[in-house]
């Protein structure tokens, strides 16, 4: 029954997501694909996956322990904190912090998790800001 509930919830989210994507305004100068295409593709993929889960539920689902649920809840808290801190701390600092915490929770030693978080943040910053020229949230250090 839990698979069917998940499938129905995923299908509802997919329908809502596709509807939201159709509300994206198009500019008079746009490429043939347009800004709506990618969100609609994501919504369709989510919808298809949800339909598969609805039609072919697992007969004996394996539920994780309460400790695993706590880990998932902790990851959600980290991602919400990341979204809230991004405009204040900036992309580099917020991403380094979130990456370090999530890497640590995946089993990396704390020092290596911090190093991985900083390198991940700087690598993404280099690719998206320096190479591709995209604007990322500026922090108190100006980058």
């Amino acid at each position: 029954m839990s698979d069917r509930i998940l499938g129905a919830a995923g299908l509802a989210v997919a329908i809502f997501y596709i509807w939201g994507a159709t509300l994206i305004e198009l500019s008079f100068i746009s490429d043939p694909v347009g800004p709506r295409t990618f969100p609609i593709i994501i919504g369709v993929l989510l919808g298809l996956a949800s339909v598969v889960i609805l039609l072919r539920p697992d007969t004996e689902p394996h539920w994780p322990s309460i400790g695993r649920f706590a880990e998932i809840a902790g990851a959600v808290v980290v991602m919400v904190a990341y979204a809230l801190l991004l405009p204040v701390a900036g992309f580099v600092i917020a991403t380094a912090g979130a990456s370090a915490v999530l890497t640590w929770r995946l089993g990396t030693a704390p020092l290596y998790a911090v190093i991985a978080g900083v390198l991940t943040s700087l690598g993404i910053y280099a690719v998206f800001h320096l190479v591709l020229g995209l604007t990322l949230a500026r922090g108190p250090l100006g980058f």
Side-chain angles (χ1 to χ4, degrees):
M1 186 65 169
S2 60
D3 286 350
R4 292 205 170 129
I5 293 171
L6 176 67
L11 188 58
V13 168
I15 291 168
F16 180 73
Y17 192 77
I18 292 169
W19 172 76
T22 61
L23 298 178
I24 297 173
E25 291 185 31
L26 299 175
S27 67
F28 67 94
I29 302 174
S30 74
D31 57 64
V33 176
R36 295 179 184 169
T37 305
F38 184 71
I40 289 174
I41 290 170
I42 298 297
V44 167
L45 291 176
L46 175 60
L48 290 174
S50 299
V51 167
V52 169
I53 292 172
L54 262 171
L55 298 178
R56 299 186 66 190
D58 190 359
T59 56
E60 295 181 29
H62 171 72
W63 284 88
S65 65
I66 192 72
R68 289 292 178 202
F69 277 122
E71 287 286 336
I72 294 168
V76 169
V77 167
V78 168
M79 295 309 295
V80 168
Y82 173 71
L84 294 174
L85 288 175
L86 192 59
V88 177
F91 178 82
V92 174
I93 295 171
T95 303
S99 297
V101 170
L102 293 174
T103 304
W104 169 62
R105 292 313 308 147
L106 286 172
T108 306
L111 177 62
Y112 293 127
V114 170
I115 292 169
V118 170
L119 291 177
T120 299
S121 176
L122 293 175
I124 294 171
Y125 180 82
V127 169
F128 284 93
H129 184 70
L130 301 177
V131 175
L132 297 176
L134 298 176
T135 303
L136 301 172
R138 289 185 181 265
L141 302 177
F143 56 87

